[in-house]
Amino acid sequence: MKDHFLVTGGARLEGAVRVNGAKNSVLKLMSAALLAEGTTVLTNCPEIADVPYMAEVLRGLGCEVELAGTTVTITTPETVEYNADFDAVRQFRASVCVLGPLTARRHRAVVALPGGDAIGSRPLDMHQSGLEKLGATTRIEHGCVVAEATELVGGKIKLDFPSVGATENILTAAVLAKGTTILDNAAREPEIVDLCAMLTEMGAGITGAGSNTITVTGVDRLRPTTHDVVGDRIVAGTWGYAAAMTQGDITVSGINPTHLHLVLEKLKLAGADVETYPTGFRVRQNRRPTAVDYQTLPFPGFPTDLQPMAIALCTVSDGMSVITENIFESRFRFVDEMTRLGADTSIDGHHVVIRGGRPLSSAPVWASDIRAGAGLVLAGLCADGVTQVNDVYHIDRGYPGFVEQLRALGADVRRVTGDEGR
């Protein structure tokens, strides 16, 4: 039987939490270890379900992977396999990030089309187009994306949209290509900067990380390295919203607050007192929040991964908010679950209008993805009664020790299995 959470409303969260490395970085760094023969060590890794999933993908490609708390050790053989099969990749979307490294190392990659969160279509067109401009041929065949090349040669690539996944796969292929690759309209997320930092430590020639244009000078081979994963800005932001929603006081460490500049500014507009430190921030909310409008955009815009938390905050705020989703068309599935809790919302295309201040009441709800699950838990903390959040395996994929951390901050939340507590 699937686990679920029972969330009792009414708690004010107060205390301190430390976030570990970013889910949106560690999985890509693990795949980058395929680029160099030898042993790569990643530290500050989050203890989430997706890490062992990625470990299984890498083992299927011939690597030895050891997981020890927040440290992941990957030993890559001289010759890696090129076929990432369906059983290994079907459970999570990030598995597609092995496409670039395999194309670079083996000049052949067969990667089953991945599964993951139900937040809308995320086609691989830009991934394939980028690899083709480096000299590969690609196709979709028998449920897999196939890339093949006699050799990879640098080129000029401009993305139609600053896709994080496409940027990652192009970068990890270009580092072993002959010549220079110029990638325009590249993603600027901190996780891209983290990947570029690790690749540079491995001997890659990369400039422009964090800007719209990244230049890669190919090298013959890379070496393994030891790398500390960047802090998880999405988990950190979730705790900031938890403080604002419960009129609480939470200090978050393990994160560069500049990675959350706009997120923290939005919390200030909602009435929170926000202090930043070199490695964290503090959010205090002493009154009912004020409604704020949001639109999700690529970094440095407001992250789509925090959109459910923004919606949840707006439902308990004074006033009306309009939230615009520009990244994933199906992310508003979360709104239907908020309606079960009594939220006053209406959807118009990729906008949702929220009339805040209406009391929330407990109900059974279902997580459709990692961030929706976390947002529903936060909403349950503000609802009358006990809210049952189902399909919490999604939350396990992005939030290490979520229940334990909530309880340490004063929440009444417990994890149960099967029919217990129904």
Side-chain angles (χ1 to χ4, degrees), residues 213-352:
T213 302
I214 301 176
T215 302
V216 182
T217 302
V219 297
D220 290 335
R221 63 187 296 123
L222 297 177
R223 58 183 178 269
T225 189
T226 297
H227 182 81
D228 197 52
V229 183
V230 69
D232 197 318
R233 62 194 173 99
I234 304 303
V235 172
T238 300
W239 292 121
Y241 274 83
M245 287 183 64
T246 64
Q247 297 182 45
D249 182 352
I250 300 177
T251 299
V252 182
S253 61
I255 184 69
N256 181 343
T258 64
H259 295 168
L260 286 166
H261 174 74
L262 183 56
V263 172
L264 298 179
E265 288 300 311
K266 289 290 188 180
L267 287 173
K268 290 178 184 178
L269 290 174
D273 179 11
V274 179
E275 299 176 65
T276 60
Y277 314 104
T279 59
F281 60 88
R282 180 183 183 184
V283 175
R284 288 176 288 180
Q285 185 85 32
N286 297 316
R287 57 181 175 81
R288 181 185 286 274
T290 301
V292 177
D293 293 339
Y294 294 84
Q295 62 170 325
T296 65
L297 290 167
F299 189 85
F302 191 85
T304 182
D305 279 355
L306 284 175
Q307 181 245 81
M309 276 53 84
I311 291 175
L313 175 62
C314 289
T315 63
V316 299
S317 299
D318 285 331
M320 185 175 74
S321 306
V322 178
I323 296 183
T324 303
E325 174 56 52
N326 293 307
I327 310 297
F328 294 127
E329 71 275 9
S330 295
R331 198 139 226 173
F332 283 158
R333 291 178 62 179
F334 171 77
V335 176
D336 293 335
E337 300 306 304
M338 288 298 298
T339 302
R340 293 179 190 272
L341 297 174
D344 186 352
T345 65
S346 57
I347 298 174
D348 180 11
H350 62 123
H351 309 281
V352 59

